[in-house]
Amino acid sequence: MSEATPSAAFTEPDPAAGPRRRTAAVALTGARAALALFLGFSAVAKLVAHESAVASFDRMGWSSEAMYTIGGLELAGAVALLIPLLAGVAAIALAGLLAGAAVIQLTLLDPPNAVMPALLVVLVVMIARDRRERTAELFALLRGGRGRAPRSGQWMNR
């Protein structure tokens, strides 16, 4: 296992990339950290059954089990966003979770509040796109590879 500085392990910028790409990588790394913090706070509110979370789930007519499940998913996503190899997969999963939150806000709660999860969907899609090589590497590892990204069309050939 190679040793790396924490910032290098977190952002993994390509030295051959131009300054624009490095700036985008740093911005998305900051966005990942901020989103993880935001989701972490939201998850903790649900997991400790804060009165605001309980009131929201009561308004929707959902059980406390649903609140704990969503809180657990948010917490898992927040932690995974901070792990470079898992960040892309976490962003994909969070896109679904946040899209669901936007729909729930529109239909069951306060429609103007649907803007925040909708904007966060855009952010997690950008993160997923940025982390697509690491996501491919993760799938290669899961399929028994040595951690290299799959060749073009590899997923299609069986």
Side-chain angles (χ1 to χ4, degrees):
M1 186 169 189
S2 65
E3 303 246 347
T5 62
S7 62
F10 195 73
T11 61
E12 301 172 18
D14 182 8
R20 196 169 186 197
R21 173 69 181 132
R22 282 190 299 270
T23 302
V26 169
L28 281 174
T29 298
R32 280 177 32 215
L35 182 59
L37 190 62
F38 174 80
L39 289 170
F41 280 122
S42 176
V44 168
K46 291 173 182 74
L47 293 174
V48 300
H50 188 269
E51 62 187 52
S52 63
V54 171
S56 292
F57 278 80
D58 284 345
R59 280 181 56 199
M60 292 185 293
W62 289 12
S63 68
S64 61
E65 288 84 8
M67 180 178 66
Y68 294 128
T69 300
I70 292 171
L73 291 171
E74 287 177 347
L75 187 60
V79 170
L81 277 176
L82 300 175
I83 301 170
L85 190 60
L86 299 178
V89 174
I92 293 167
L94 288 170
L97 187 71
L98 291 167
V103 170
I104 294 301
Q105 285 288 343
L106 281 171
T107 58
L108 297 178
L109 296 172
D110 303 315
N113 291 338
V115 173
M116 177 58 89
L119 290 175
L120 292 178
V121 167
V122 174
L123 177 61
V124 295
V125 167
M126 289 173 37
I127 292 169
R129 185 180 185 284
D130 181 63
R131 306 302 299 176
R132 67 188 177 276
E133 292 86 13
R134 294 303 301 261
T135 302
E137 182 181 338
L138 175 64
F139 284 119
L141 283 169
L142 292 174
R143 291 178 63 107
R146 289 186 160 58
R148 295 184 323 216
R151 295 182 312 273
S152 178
Q154 178 179 351
W155 302 115
M156 306 299 178
N157 301 333
R158 289 194 175 226

Coordinates of all heavy atoms in Angstrom, one line a residue, residues 34-109:
A34 N -18.2 19.3 1.8 CA -19.3 20.1 2.2 C -20.6 19.3 2.2 O -21.4 19.3 3.1 CB -19.5 21.4 1.4
L35 N -20.8 18.6 1.1 CA -22.0 17.7 1.0 C -22.0 16.6 2.0 O -23.1 16.3 2.6 CB -22.1 17.2 -0.4 CG -23.3 16.3 -0.7 CD1 -24.6 17.1 -0.5 CD2 -23.3 15.8 -2.1
A36 N -20.9 16.0 2.3 CA -20.8 15.0 3.3 C -21.1 15.6 4.7 O -21.8 15.0 5.5 CB -19.4 14.4 3.4
L37 N -20.7 16.8 5.0 CA -21.0 17.4 6.2 C -22.5 17.7 6.3 O -23.1 17.4 7.4 CB -20.2 18.7 6.4 CG -20.2 19.4 7.7 CD1 -19.6 18.6 8.8 CD2 -19.4 20.7 7.6
F38 N -23.1 18.3 5.3 CA -24.5 18.6 5.2 C -25.3 17.3 5.4 O -26.2 17.3 6.3 CB -24.8 19.2 3.9 CG -26.3 19.5 3.7 CD1 -26.9 20.5 4.2 CD2 -27.0 18.6 2.9 CE1 -28.3 20.8 4.0 CE2 -28.4 18.8 2.7 CZ -29.0 19.9 3.2
L39 N -25.0 16.2 4.7 CA -25.7 15.0 4.8 C -25.5 14.4 6.2 O -26.4 13.7 6.7 CB -25.3 14.0 3.7 CG -25.8 14.4 2.3 CD1 -25.1 13.5 1.3 CD2 -27.3 14.3 2.2
G40 N -24.3 14.5 6.7 CA -24.1 14.0 8.1 C -25.0 14.6 9.1 O -25.5 13.9 9.9
F41 N -25.1 15.9 9.1 CA -26.0 16.6 10.0 C -27.4 16.2 9.8 O -28.1 16.0 10.8 CB -25.8 18.1 9.9 CG -24.6 18.7 10.6 CD1 -23.7 19.4 9.9 CD2 -24.4 18.5 11.9 CE1 -22.6 19.9 10.5 CE2 -23.3 19.0 12.6 CZ -22.4 19.7 11.9
S42 N -27.8 16.1 8.6 CA -29.2 15.7 8.3 C -29.5 14.3 8.8 O -30.5 14.0 9.3 CB -29.5 15.8 6.8 OG -30.7 15.3 6.4
A43 N -28.5 13.4 8.6 CA -28.6 12.0 9.0 C -28.7 11.9 10.5 O -29.5 11.2 11.1 CB -27.4 11.2 8.5
V44 N -27.9 12.6 11.2 CA -27.8 12.6 12.7 C -29.2 13.1 13.2 O -29.7 12.5 14.2 CB -26.7 13.4 13.3 CG1 -26.8 13.6 14.7 CG2 -25.4 12.7 12.9
A45 N -29.8 14.1 12.6 CA -31.1 14.6 13.1 C -32.1 13.5 13.0 O -33.0 13.3 13.9 CB -31.5 15.8 12.3
K46 N -32.1 12.7 11.9 CA -33.0 11.6 11.8 C -32.7 10.4 12.7 O -33.6 9.8 13.3 CB -33.0 11.1 10.3 CG -33.6 12.1 9.4 CD -33.4 11.7 7.9 CE -34.0 12.7 6.9 NZ -33.1 13.9 6.8
L47 N -31.4 10.1 12.9 CA -31.0 9.0 13.7 C -31.2 9.2 15.2 O -31.4 8.2 15.9 CB -29.6 8.6 13.4 CG -29.3 8.0 11.9 CD1 -27.8 7.9 11.7 CD2 -30.1 6.8 11.7
V48 N -31.2 10.4 15.6 CA -31.4 10.7 17.0 C -32.9 11.1 17.3 O -33.3 11.5 18.4 CB -30.5 11.8 17.6 CG1 -29.0 11.3 17.5 CG2 -30.7 13.1 17.0
A49 N -33.7 11.0 16.2 CA -35.1 11.4 16.2 C -35.3 12.8 16.8 O -36.1 13.0 17.7 CB -35.9 10.4 17.1
H50 N -34.6 13.7 16.2 CA -34.8 15.2 16.5 C -36.2 15.5 16.2 O -36.8 15.0 15.3 CB -33.8 16.0 15.7 CG -33.8 17.4 16.2 ND1 -34.6 18.4 15.6 CD2 -33.1 18.1 17.1 CE1 -34.4 19.6 16.2 NE2 -33.5 19.4 17.1
E51 N -36.8 16.4 17.0 CA -38.2 16.8 16.9 C -38.6 17.3 15.5 O -39.7 17.0 15.0 CB -38.6 17.8 18.0 CG -37.9 19.1 17.9 CD -38.2 20.0 19.1 OE1 -38.1 19.5 20.2 OE2 -38.6 21.2 18.8
S52 N -37.7 18.0 14.8 CA -38.0 18.5 13.5 C -38.1 17.4 12.5 O -39.0 17.4 11.6 CB -36.9 19.5 13.0 OG -35.7 18.9 12.9
A53 N -37.2 16.4 12.6 CA -37.3 15.2 11.7 C -38.5 14.4 12.0 O -39.2 14.0 11.0 CB -36.0 14.3 11.9
V54 N -38.8 14.2 13.2 CA -40.0 13.4 13.6 C -41.3 14.1 13.1 O -42.2 13.5 12.5 CB -40.1 13.2 15.1 CG1 -41.5 12.6 15.5 CG2 -39.0 12.3 15.6
A55 N -41.3 15.4 13.2 CA -42.5 16.2 12.7 C -42.6 16.1 11.2 O -43.8 15.9 10.7 CB -42.3 17.7 13.1
S56 N -41.5 16.1 10.5 CA -41.6 16.0 9.0 C -42.1 14.7 8.6 O -43.0 14.6 7.7 CB -40.2 16.2 8.4 OG -39.8 17.6 8.6
F57 N -41.6 13.6 9.2 CA -42.1 12.3 8.9 C -43.5 12.0 9.3 O -44.2 11.3 8.6 CB -41.1 11.2 9.4 CG -39.9 11.0 8.6 CD1 -38.8 11.9 8.6 CD2 -39.8 10.0 7.7 CE1 -37.7 11.7 7.8 CE2 -38.7 9.8 6.9 CZ -37.7 10.7 6.9
D58 N -43.9 12.7 10.4 CA -45.3 12.6 10.8 C -46.2 13.3 9.8 O -47.3 12.8 9.4 CB -45.6 13.2 12.2 CG -45.1 12.3 13.3 OD1 -44.8 11.1 13.1 OD2 -44.9 12.8 14.4
R59 N -45.8 14.4 9.3 CA -46.6 15.2 8.3 C -46.7 14.3 7.0 O -47.7 14.4 6.3 CB -45.9 16.5 7.9 CG -46.2 17.6 8.9 CD -45.5 18.9 8.5 NE -45.9 19.3 7.2 CZ -45.2 20.2 6.5 NH1 -44.1 20.7 6.9 NH2 -45.6 20.6 5.3
M60 N -45.7 13.5 6.7 CA -45.8 12.7 5.5 C -46.6 11.4 5.7 O -47.0 10.7 4.8 CB -44.4 12.3 5.0 CG -43.5 13.4 4.5 SD -42.0 12.9 3.8 CE -41.1 12.3 5.3
G61 N -46.8 11.1 7.0 CA -47.5 9.8 7.3 C -46.6 8.6 7.3 O -47.0 7.5 7.1
W62 N -45.3 8.9 7.4 CA -44.3 7.8 7.3 C -43.9 7.4 8.7 O -43.9 8.1 9.7 CB -43.1 8.2 6.6 CG -43.3 8.4 5.1 CD1 -44.5 8.4 4.4 CD2 -42.3 8.6 4.1 NE1 -44.3 8.6 3.1 CE2 -43.0 8.7 2.9 CE3 -40.9 8.7 4.1 CZ2 -42.3 8.9 1.7 CZ3 -40.3 8.9 2.9 CH2 -41.0 9.0 1.7
S63 N -43.4 6.1 8.9 CA -43.1 5.6 10.2 C -41.7 6.0 10.6 O -40.9 6.5 9.8 CB -43.1 4.1 10.1 OG -42.1 3.6 9.3
S64 N -41.4 5.8 11.9 CA -40.1 6.1 12.4 C -39.0 5.2 11.7 O -37.9 5.6 11.6 CB -40.0 5.9 13.9 OG -40.3 4.6 14.3
E65 N -39.4 4.0 11.3 CA -38.5 3.1 10.6 C -38.0 3.7 9.3 O -36.8 3.6 9.0 CB -39.1 1.7 10.4 CG -39.3 0.9 11.6 CD -40.6 1.2 12.3 OE1 -41.4 1.9 11.8 OE2 -40.7 0.7 13.4
A66 N -38.9 4.4 8.6 CA -38.5 5.0 7.4 C -37.5 6.2 7.7 O -36.5 6.4 7.0 CB -39.7 5.6 6.7
M67 N -37.8 6.9 8.8 CA -36.9 8.0 9.2 C -35.5 7.4 9.5 O -34.5 8.0 9.0 CB -37.4 8.7 10.4 CG -36.6 9.9 10.9 SD -37.3 10.7 12.3 CE -37.2 9.5 13.5
Y68 N -35.4 6.3 10.2 CA -34.1 5.8 10.6 C -33.4 5.2 9.3 O -32.2 5.3 9.2 CB -34.3 4.7 11.6 CG -34.7 5.2 13.0 CD1 -35.8 4.7 13.6 CD2 -34.1 6.3 13.6 CE1 -36.2 5.2 14.8 CE2 -34.5 6.8 14.8 CZ -35.6 6.2 15.4 OH -36.0 6.7 16.6
T69 N -34.2 4.6 8.4 CA -33.6 4.0 7.2 C -33.0 5.2 6.4 O -31.9 5.0 5.9 CB -34.7 3.3 6.4 OG1 -35.2 2.2 7.2 CG2 -34.1 2.7 5.1
I70 N -33.7 6.2 6.2 CA -33.2 7.3 5.3 C -32.0 8.0 6.0 O -31.1 8.3 5.4 CB -34.4 8.3 5.1 CG1 -35.4 7.7 4.1 CG2 -33.8 9.6 4.4 CD1 -36.7 8.5 3.9
G71 N -32.1 8.1 7.3 CA -31.0 8.7 8.1 C -29.7 7.8 7.9 O -28.6 8.3 7.7
G72 N -29.9 6.5 8.0 CA -28.8 5.6 7.8 C -28.2 5.6 6.4 O -27.0 5.6 6.2
L73 N -29.1 5.8 5.4 CA -28.6 5.9 4.0 C -27.9 7.2 3.8 O -26.8 7.2 3.1 CB -29.8 5.8 3.0 CG -30.5 4.5 2.9 CD1 -31.8 4.6 2.1 CD2 -29.5 3.5 2.3
E74 N -28.4 8.3 4.4 CA -27.7 9.6 4.3 C -26.3 9.5 5.0 O -25.3 10.0 4.4 CB -28.5 10.7 4.9 CG -29.7 11.1 4.2 CD -30.5 12.2 4.9 OE1 -30.3 12.4 6.1 OE2 -31.4 12.8 4.2
L75 N -26.2 8.9 6.1 CA -24.9 8.8 6.8 C -23.9 7.9 6.0 O -22.8 8.3 5.9 CB -25.1 8.2 8.2 CG -23.9 8.2 9.1 CD1 -23.4 9.6 9.3 CD2 -24.2 7.6 10.4
A76 N -24.4 6.8 5.5 CA -23.6 5.9 4.7 C -23.1 6.7 3.4 O -21.9 6.6 3.1 CB -24.3 4.7 4.3
G77 N -23.9 7.4 2.8 CA -23.5 8.2 1.6 C -22.5 9.3 2.0 O -21.6 9.6 1.3
A78 N -22.7 9.9 3.1 CA -21.8 11.0 3.6 C -20.4 10.4 3.8 O -19.4 11.0 3.4 CB -22.4 11.7 4.8
V79 N -20.3 9.3 4.5 CA -19.0 8.7 4.8 C -18.4 8.2 3.5 O -17.2 8.4 3.2 CB -19.2 7.5 5.8 CG1 -17.9 6.7 5.9 CG2 -19.6 8.0 7.1
A80 N -19.2 7.6 2.6 CA -18.6 7.1 1.3 C -18.1 8.2 0.4 O -17.2 8.0 -0.4 CB -19.7 6.2 0.6
L81 N -18.8 9.4 0.5 CA -18.3 10.5 -0.3 C -16.9 10.9 0.1 O -16.1 11.5 -0.8 CB -19.2 11.8 -0.1 CG -20.5 11.8 -0.9 CD1 -21.3 13.0 -0.5 CD2 -20.2 11.9 -2.4
L82 N -16.5 10.6 1.3 CA -15.1 11.0 1.7 C -14.1 10.0 1.4 O -12.9 10.2 1.6 CB -15.1 11.3 3.2 CG -16.1 12.4 3.7 CD1 -16.1 12.5 5.2 CD2 -15.7 13.7 3.1
I83 N -14.5 8.8 0.9 CA -13.5 7.7 0.5 C -13.4 7.8 -1.0 O -14.4 7.5 -1.7 CB -14.1 6.4 1.0 CG1 -14.2 6.4 2.5 CG2 -13.1 5.2 0.6 CD1 -15.0 5.2 3.1
P84 N -12.2 8.1 -1.5 CA -12.1 8.3 -3.0 C -12.6 7.2 -3.8 O -13.3 7.4 -4.8 CB -10.6 8.5 -3.2 CG -10.1 9.1 -1.9 CD -11.0 8.4 -0.8
L85 N -12.4 5.9 -3.5 CA -12.8 4.8 -4.3 C -14.3 4.7 -4.3 O -14.9 4.2 -5.3 CB -12.1 3.5 -3.8 CG -12.3 2.3 -4.7 CD1 -11.7 2.5 -6.1 CD2 -11.7 1.1 -4.1
L86 N -15.0 5.1 -3.2 CA -16.4 4.9 -3.1 C -17.2 6.2 -3.5 O -18.4 6.1 -3.6 CB -16.8 4.5 -1.7 CG -16.2 3.2 -1.2 CD1 -16.6 3.0 0.3 CD2 -16.6 2.1 -2.0
A87 N -16.5 7.3 -3.7 CA -17.2 8.6 -3.9 C -18.2 8.6 -5.1 O -19.3 9.1 -5.0 CB -16.2 9.7 -4.0
G88 N -17.7 8.0 -6.2 CA -18.6 7.9 -7.4 C -19.8 7.1 -7.2 O -20.9 7.6 -7.6
V89 N -19.7 6.0 -6.6 CA -20.9 5.1 -6.3 C -21.8 5.8 -5.3 O -23.0 5.8 -5.5 CB -20.4 3.7 -5.8 CG1 -21.6 2.9 -5.4 CG2 -19.6 3.0 -6.9
A90 N -21.2 6.4 -4.3 CA -22.0 7.2 -3.3 C -22.8 8.3 -4.0 O -24.0 8.5 -3.7 CB -21.1 7.7 -2.2
A91 N -22.1 9.0 -4.9 CA -22.8 10.1 -5.6 C -24.0 9.6 -6.4 O -25.0 10.2 -6.5 CB -21.8 10.8 -6.5
I92 N -23.8 8.4 -7.1 CA -24.9 7.8 -7.9 C -26.1 7.5 -7.0 O -27.2 7.8 -7.3 CB -24.4 6.6 -8.7 CG1 -23.4 7.0 -9.7 CG2 -25.6 5.9 -9.3 CD1 -22.6 5.9 -10.3
A93 N -25.8 6.8 -5.8 CA -26.8 6.5 -4.9 C -27.5 7.7 -4.3 O -28.7 7.7 -4.2 CB -26.2 5.6 -3.8
L94 N -26.7 8.7 -4.0 CA -27.3 9.9 -3.4 C -28.1 10.7 -4.4 O -29.1 11.4 -4.0 CB -26.2 10.8 -2.8 CG -25.5 10.3 -1.6 CD1 -24.3 11.1 -1.2 CD2 -26.5 10.3 -0.4
A95 N -27.8 10.6 -5.7 CA -28.6 11.2 -6.7 C -30.1 10.7 -6.6 O -31.0 11.5 -6.7 CB -28.1 11.0 -8.1
G96 N -30.2 9.4 -6.5 CA -31.5 8.8 -6.3 C -32.2 9.2 -5.0 O -33.4 9.6 -5.0
L97 N -31.5 9.2 -3.9 CA -32.0 9.6 -2.6 C -32.5 11.1 -2.7 O -33.6 11.4 -2.2 CB -31.0 9.4 -1.5 CG -31.5 9.6 -0.1 CD1 -32.4 8.5 0.3 CD2 -30.3 9.7 0.8
L98 N -31.7 12.0 -3.2 CA -32.0 13.4 -3.3 C -33.1 13.7 -4.3 O -33.9 14.6 -4.1 CB -30.7 14.2 -3.6 CG -29.7 14.2 -2.5 CD1 -28.4 14.8 -3.0 CD2 -30.2 15.0 -1.3
A99 N -33.2 12.9 -5.4 CA -34.3 13.1 -6.3 C -35.6 12.7 -5.6 O -36.6 13.4 -5.8 CB -34.1 12.2 -7.6
G100 N -35.6 11.6 -4.8 CA -36.7 11.3 -4.1 C -37.1 12.3 -3.1 O -38.3 12.6 -2.9
A101 N -36.1 12.9 -2.4 CA -36.4 14.0 -1.5 C -37.0 15.2 -2.2 O -38.0 15.8 -1.6 CB -35.1 14.5 -0.8
A102 N -36.6 15.5 -3.4 CA -37.2 16.6 -4.1 C -38.7 16.3 -4.5 O -39.5 17.2 -4.3 CB -36.4 16.9 -5.4
V103 N -38.9 15.1 -4.9 CA -40.3 14.7 -5.2 C -41.2 14.8 -4.0 O -42.3 15.3 -4.0 CB -40.3 13.3 -5.9 CG1 -41.7 12.8 -6.0 CG2 -39.7 13.4 -7.2
I104 N -40.7 14.3 -2.9 CA -41.4 14.3 -1.6 C -41.7 15.8 -1.2 O -42.8 16.1 -0.8 CB -40.7 13.6 -0.5 CG1 -40.6 12.1 -0.8 CG2 -41.3 13.8 0.9 CD1 -42.0 11.4 -1.0
Q105 N -40.7 16.6 -1.3 CA -40.9 18.0 -1.0 C -42.0 18.6 -1.9 O -42.9 19.4 -1.4 CB -39.7 18.8 -1.1 CG -38.6 18.6 -0.1 CD -39.1 19.3 1.3 OE1 -39.9 20.1 1.3 NE2 -38.4 18.8 2.3
L106 N -42.0 18.3 -3.2 CA -43.0 18.8 -4.1 C -44.4 18.3 -3.8 O -45.4 19.1 -3.9 CB -42.6 18.5 -5.5 CG -41.6 19.3 -6.2 CD1 -41.2 18.7 -7.5 CD2 -42.1 20.7 -6.4
T107 N -44.5 17.1 -3.4 CA -45.9 16.4 -3.3 C -46.4 16.4 -1.9 O -47.6 16.6 -1.8 CB -45.8 15.0 -3.9 OG1 -44.9 14.2 -3.2 CG2 -45.5 15.0 -5.4
L108 N -45.6 16.2 -0.9 CA -46.1 16.0 0.4 C -45.8 17.1 1.4 O -46.5 17.3 2.4 CB -45.6 14.7 1.0 CG -46.0 13.4 0.3 CD1 -45.4 12.2 1.0 CD2 -47.5 13.3 0.2
L109 N -44.7 17.9 1.2 CA -44.3 18.8 2.2 C -44.4 20.3 1.6 O -45.5 20.7 1.3 CB -42.9 18.5 2.7 CG -42.8 17.2 3.4 CD1 -41.3 16.9 3.7 CD2 -43.5 17.3 4.7

